[in-house]
Amino acid sequence: TLAEVATSAFFERIDLSAHGFFKVSDDRCGYDWEGVKPVDYVGPDNRWRGLPFNYFTQGCAVSEVEVDVLTGDHRILRSNLIADVGSSINPAIDVGQIEGAFTQGVGWCTMEEMIWGDEDHKWIRPRGRLLTQGPGSYKIPAFNDVPEKLNVVLLDGVSNPFAVHSSKAVGEPPFFLGCSVFFAIKDAVRAARASCSNGAISDSEEFSLMLPATSERIRMSICDELRDESVLGQNKDPKNCILLEFQPKGSF
C-alpha cells in the first residue's frame, strides 16, 4: 500500500518529494535594470529595457450595488466580468478561478480590516499586536456577500503563442476586479451625500473613502444630521453642521 511504501521510505531516509524549477527563455523575456536609455529611443517609458514578463493578461469588471444609508450595509446586485486567459484549456476551471479571485478581492475591498495596537487603538495591548487575527474579528466573504448575479465571460480571439496551448495563467489577476464593488459603493455614497446634505454637497464633489469600505466607514461618509450628531454631539455649529470629511479611526 501507499502507506507502507511511505513508511519504508521514511525509515530508509528516502525523499519521495519532487522539486523542479522553470526559467523563462531570455530570447524574448528579459529586463535590463542597469542599462542606459538609447538617445534615439522613442516609445513607452521603460519599454527599451525589455519585457519583464513573457506575457500579460487583463480584465474588466462592472458592479452594481445597493447601500443602506441608515446602517452603512451594502449588497452587490450584479457584477459582470470579462477576463483574458488566452485560449483556455479548461474554461470551467478558469471561470471558477476568476470567480474565486474576484470574491477574494471583494472581501479585501469591503470587509477585511486589519487593526493594530497603535496611537488610535491604545486599548490593544501590547502595542503593535494585530487585533483582527481570527474569524471572530477578521471577516471574509460568505455566501451572503457575493453578487446576487455574477456573470463571467472569457475574452475571445486572444491566443497566446508564448505559453502552453496558447493559454494564460489566471490565478491572481482577477483579484483586483473586486475593486469595481468598492468604486460602485463610493458612487452610491456620493449620491447619498448629495441627497442627505440638503444641497450643501453636490453629487460631483470628491471625498475620501478608505479601504476597506466597511459598514462603519460607509455610514460615517454619508453626511446627515445623525452622523454629525454622533461626531460633534452638543458642540456642533448649526451654521456648518455638515462635516465634509470624517474617517473612522483605523490602522492605515
Side-chain angles (χ1 to χ4, degrees), residues 17 39 50 87 89 107 117 128 154 157 167 185-186 189 223 227-228 235:
S17 62
V39 178
S87 296
I89 297 175
L154 303 182
S167 62
I185 290 174
K186 188 172 183 180
V189 171
C223 298
R227 197 285 305 263
D228 292 347
N235 298 320

Side-chain angles (χ1 to χ4, degrees), residues 110-199:
T110 61
M111 63 184 66
E112 298 179 30
E113 184 176 20
M114 300 180 68
I115 299 178
W116 303 80
D118 53 24
E119 288 300 318
D120 288 333
H121 306 87
K122 296 181 179 180
W123 47 272
I124 302 176
R125 299 295 183 188
R127 182 182 177 89
R129 182 175 72 88
L130 177 62
L131 174 68
T132 50
Q133 53 182 310
S137 54
Y138 186 87
K139 303 301 181 181
I140 61 175
F143 293 107
N144 195 45
D145 301 309
V146 299
E148 296 179 8
K149 293 183 179 181
L150 177 57
N151 303 313
V152 178
V153 175
L154 303 182
L155 194 63
D156 290 330
V158 286
S159 60
N160 177 29
F162 306 106
V164 178
H165 294 294
S166 294
S167 62
K168 289 185 178 181
V170 65
E172 296 180 352
F175 174 93
F176 195 67
L177 298 182
C179 278
S180 64
V181 173
F182 171 80
F183 290 116
I185 290 174
K186 188 172 183 180
D187 282 344
V189 171
R190 180 183 288 109
R193 286 162 61 91
S195 176
C196 298
S197 64
N198 297 320

Side-chain angles (χ1 to χ4, degrees), residues 18-246:
H19 308 272
F21 296 92
F22 174 74
K23 183 179 184 297
V24 178
S25 173
D26 292 336
D27 295 339
R28 167 179 165 78
C29 185
Y31 202 75
D32 187 359
W33 293 97
E34 300 178 354
V36 178
K37 183 177 181 180
V39 178
D40 58 347
Y41 173 78
V42 177
D45 291 343
N46 290 330
R47 178 62 180 83
W48 58 273
R49 294 184 182 274
L51 292 175
F53 305 102
N54 203 25
Y55 61 85
F56 297 88
T57 184
Q58 52 273 324
C60 184
V62 178
S63 295
E64 179 184 359
V65 302
E66 184 178 76
V67 170
D68 187 329
V69 297
L70 183 61
T71 65
D73 193 17
H74 76 277
R75 62 190 183 109
I76 310 173
L77 303 180
R78 179 195 301 267
S79 291
N80 296 330
L81 285 63
I82 185 169
D84 170 18
V85 298
S87 296
S88 176
I89 297 175
N90 190 322
I93 290 179
D94 287 343
V95 168
Q97 286 285 98
I98 293 169
E99 291 174 340
F102 173 77
T103 303
Q104 186 178 4
V106 169
W108 175 67
C109 289
T110 61
M111 63 184 66
E112 298 179 30
E113 184 176 20
M114 300 180 68
I115 299 178
W116 303 80
D118 53 24
E119 288 300 318
D120 288 333
H121 306 87
K122 296 181 179 180
W123 47 272
I124 302 176
R125 299 295 183 188
R127 182 182 177 89
R129 182 175 72 88
L130 177 62
L131 174 68
T132 50
Q133 53 182 310
S137 54
Y138 186 87
K139 303 301 181 181
I140 61 175
F143 293 107
N144 195 45
D145 301 309
V146 299
E148 296 179 8
K149 293 183 179 181
L150 177 57
N151 303 313
V152 178
V153 175
L154 303 182
L155 194 63
D156 290 330
V158 286
S159 60
N160 177 29
F162 306 106
V164 178
H165 294 294
S166 294
S167 62
K168 289 185 178 181
V170 65
E172 296 180 352
F175 174 93
F176 195 67
L177 298 182
C179 278
S180 64
V181 173
F182 171 80
F183 290 116
I185 290 174
K186 188 172 183 180
D187 282 344
V189 171
R190 180 183 288 109
R193 286 162 61 91
S195 176
C196 298
S197 64
N198 297 320
I201 303 175
S202 69
D203 57 5
S204 62
E205 186 167 333
E206 194 53 56
F207 68 100
S208 297
L209 180 63
M210 299 287 190
L211 265 73
T214 61
S215 296
E216 179 189 19
R217 289 181 184 159
I218 292 173
R219 180 62 187 92
M220 299 305 287
S221 294
I222 298 174
C223 298
D224 61 3
E225 293 184 359
L226 289 176
R227 197 285 305 263
D228 292 347
E229 188 73 29
S230 68
V231 176
L232 296 178
Q234 301 298 323
N235 298 320
K236 70 176 183 178
D237 183 357
K239 297 181 180 179
N240 185 26
C241 63
I242 299 297
L243 296 171
L244 299 184
E245 290 290 341
F246 176 80

